[in-house]
Amino acid sequence: MEPEALARLVEEFARLPGIGRKSARRLAFWVLKADQAGVDRFADALRDVKRKIRFCDTCWDVTEDSPCAICRDARRDESLLCVVEEPSDVLAIEATSEFRGRYHVLHGVLSPLDGVGPDDLKIRELLARVRESAPREVILALNPDTEGDATAYYLQKLLDPVGCIVSRIARGIPVGGDLEFADTVTLSRAIQGRERLHG
Amino acid sequence: MEPEALARLVEEFARLPGIGRKSARRLAFWVLKADQAGVDRFADALRDVKRKIRFCDTCWDVTEDSPCAICRDARRDESLLCVVEEPSDVLAIEATSEFRGRYHVLHGVLSPLDGVGPDDLKIRELLARVRESAPREVILALNPDTEGDATAYYLQKLLDPVGCIVSRIARGIPVGGDLEFADTVTLSRAIQGRERLHG
């Protein structure tokens, strides 16, 4: 006996990743009780994201204007280029305040099983950009999983002839993590990638 | 450096109950990648719920037309009236197929600490309805928590003089739990095992 408009909203919420049917229903009822202005704002925000957000023609990050704020920022170090999988990774790295170079967003990783090849990613654009701007170092900040490893290997083979340093962010025990609970692969990586301490 | 339209959508998602900032960001990026038609449908569903859904003038459940489908249904037993806190509780009970009477939605429970008194709930409407339709039994299907207990006690005192049986669904529901999230078997048991209250 659920009213149709309510059932449809539950349906839409349930399509979101990580939201089950019960959560979707809870969210729909929350919307039903929310004030009209708040719901309108939510609906506008949904539409605006699709209408206003585009990709930067240089780094392929999400932006409202191209080139994006980071690509326009003259204080950023052009000789360092950080390659990431997704726009959300740019945000994660920016949050560290550790990196002051530029970014390049691939929009995925190589994954033959899912039918994702080099032409589906911003790899051609990366190569053209590296050739043109000749950064000193390209840092591959890809996820440390099978696809990330394969993509890093592929990119390294492509970038090596161009003559820049290619590096990859360290794999190891997360800070605050517990050695005892680390998986063996991570622990192996952490040992292989050990850093010498200087007194 | 997050684009403003994206930041605003993250903000809106984060306002939803049970959605933290990291989930909100994940959802916003999902929307960014979703097709335009799907996002429009989502935005429409949000607005439609506020525009189309109203409350039934008889039972105060959510509906697109008043009286609602349950109140219009002549096959439902008018001599049984089930009092619930929220519209979502009606859905939960309907899902058990255990109850074939009518409903009355209070839209909350008595909660002096939150400033919710009898006048904030559909209690006057319940009393008028019971006086008019004279059901054989009023089943209080309130959550088994402090506020639910207090509200049940209050309603029993009000309804006893009217001369109908007042019962409460059994504590098959875990105490401190929430009706909305009970599984249908537990909820069926609770309805079968309802206890008569004595004044």
Side-chain angles (χ1 to χ4, degrees), chain B residues 21-97:
Chain B
R21 289 209 70 80
K22 284 213 166 178
S23 299
R25 176 155 295 155
R26 193 167 44 85
L27 293 175
F29 273 109
W30 184 87
V31 168
L32 197 62
K33 296 200 159 189
D35 63 305
Q36 182 72 55
V39 173
D40 285 344
R41 217 166 46 226
F42 190 2
D44 287 342
L46 276 170
R47 283 191 215 276
D48 278 359
V49 150
K50 293 300 288 185
R51 217 180 56 222
K52 292 189 183 166
I53 303 283
R54 46 166 301 181
F55 295 114
C56 172
D57 291 324
T58 305
C59 72
W60 303 97
D61 192 8
V62 290
T63 180
E64 291 188 15
D65 311 287
S66 178
C68 72
I70 293 178
C71 287
R72 278 199 312 268
D73 188 348
R75 290 164 306 175
R76 308 280 307 209
D77 186 354
E78 262 199 291
S79 69
L80 276 177
L81 187 60
C82 181
V83 178
V84 296
E85 295 179 17
E86 301 292 345
S88 46
D89 299 332
V90 174
L91 290 176
I93 293 177
E94 283 298 286
T96 69
S97 306

Side-chain angles (χ1 to χ4, degrees), chain A residues 33-34 44 47-48 50 64, chain B residues 5 8 34 44 47 50 86:
Chain A
K33 297 202 158 189
D44 288 341
R47 283 192 214 276
D48 278 0
K50 293 301 290 186
E64 292 189 14
Chain B
R8 221 168 45 235
D44 287 342
R47 283 191 215 276
K50 293 300 288 185
E86 301 292 345

Side-chain angles (χ1 to χ4, degrees), chain A residues 77-94:
Chain A
D77 186 353
E78 262 199 290
S79 69
L80 277 177
L81 187 61
C82 181
V83 177
V84 296
E85 295 178 18
E86 300 293 345
S88 45
D89 298 331
V90 174
L91 290 177
I93 294 177
E94 283 297 286

Side-chain angles (χ1 to χ4, degrees), chain A residues 41-73:
Chain A
R41 219 167 45 227
F42 190 1
D44 288 341
L46 276 171
R47 283 192 214 276
D48 278 0
V49 149
K50 293 301 290 186
R51 218 180 55 222
K52 291 188 183 167
I53 303 283
R54 45 168 300 182
F55 295 114
C56 172
D57 291 324
T58 305
C59 72
W60 303 96
D61 192 8
V62 289
T63 180
E64 292 189 14
D65 313 286
S66 178
C68 71
I70 293 178
C71 287
R72 277 199 314 268
D73 188 347

Side-chain angles (χ1 to χ4, degrees), chain B residues 135-155:
Chain B
R136 182 168 45 84
E137 181 177 351
V138 174
I139 302 170
L140 304 179
L142 307 177
N143 284 332
D145 50 24
T146 319
E147 287 88 357
D149 288 351
T151 308
Y153 182 76
Y154 181 86
L155 291 179

